[in-house]
Amino acid sequence: MKSSLRAFGIGLFLAGASMALFDNLSSDSIQKDNTAYEKQLDDYEKQIAELTKQLNEQKPDSDTSNKTDEQTTRTTEKKSAATEEQNKSDVVEETIYIYENVSIYTIGQQAEDLGIVTNGRELELYLSKPEFARSIQKGAFDLRSDMTIEEIAQVLTGQPTE
């Protein structure tokens, strides 16, 4: 019994000693890391001061900056017009064919597959509303991708558009 207590005591002593040793090592490495970070911070502050000085020396006069702003505005307007023109040309125009007893799910999936809507499930849910579900017409319907879900539903049900 005494030997097991002695062994247990020695084990506790060794565990405590190793923990103390590792604590000292980690605090030394933390101090080294802190010193390195402080040096790096000083270097960054010097770089910021240098760049600020350069920026102040190279300040453009207001006339030049106004001309640059006008050029930027014109360029932005041209890009907007080009994007708008491209969006008009990206409109998908397709014909959906609806036959007797076709499901609303099939209509939504067909519209999504043709690129008329991005989410066929959304069209399906909209068409399931009572005012549309009972009045979907059979036939061929020309639809465009720039139409809203409501407009598509009105075309498929033969309801007048507002």
Side-chain angles (χ1 to χ4, degrees), residues 10-134:
I10 291 172
L12 286 176
F13 175 75
L14 290 174
S18 65
M19 289 179 68
L21 179 66
F22 285 120
D23 279 346
N24 286 339
L25 288 177
S26 65
S27 67
D28 287 342
S29 67
I30 289 173
Q31 287 176 348
K32 288 178 184 175
D33 287 346
N34 283 344
T35 305
Y37 289 139
E38 287 173 0
K39 184 177 185 273
Q40 193 175 23
L41 181 61
D42 288 339
D43 291 342
Y44 288 146
E45 287 174 350
K46 288 177 186 176
Q47 288 177 357
I48 289 171
E50 175 86 20
L51 292 171
T52 304
K53 181 181 172 186
Q54 289 176 3
L55 181 64
N56 289 335
E57 290 173 358
Q58 296 178 355
K59 265 191 175 172
D61 60 325
S62 61
D63 291 339
T64 308
S65 65
N66 286 341
K67 289 178 183 177
T68 305
D69 289 344
E70 289 174 16
Q71 289 174 346
T72 304
T73 303
R74 279 191 231 123
T75 304
T76 305
E77 289 172 355
K78 287 179 183 177
K79 287 181 182 177
S80 296
T83 304
E84 196 173 301
E85 189 65 35
Q86 183 180 4
N87 287 344
K88 287 180 184 176
S89 66
D90 290 345
V91 173
V92 176
E93 295 182 33
E94 292 290 337
T95 302
I96 286 188
Y97 298 95
I98 299 179
Y99 302 102
E100 192 170 339
N101 297 327
V102 69
S103 69
I104 296 173
Y105 169 80
T106 304
I107 296 169
Q109 194 62 45
Q110 187 179 5
E112 184 176 340
D113 292 344
L114 292 172
I116 296 168
V117 295
T118 55
N119 186 353
R121 180 83 172 136
E122 185 179 351
L123 177 61
E124 175 189 349
L125 291 172
Y126 196 84
L127 288 173
S128 67
K129 290 182 176 183
E131 63 265 25
F132 298 116
R134 293 187 195 99

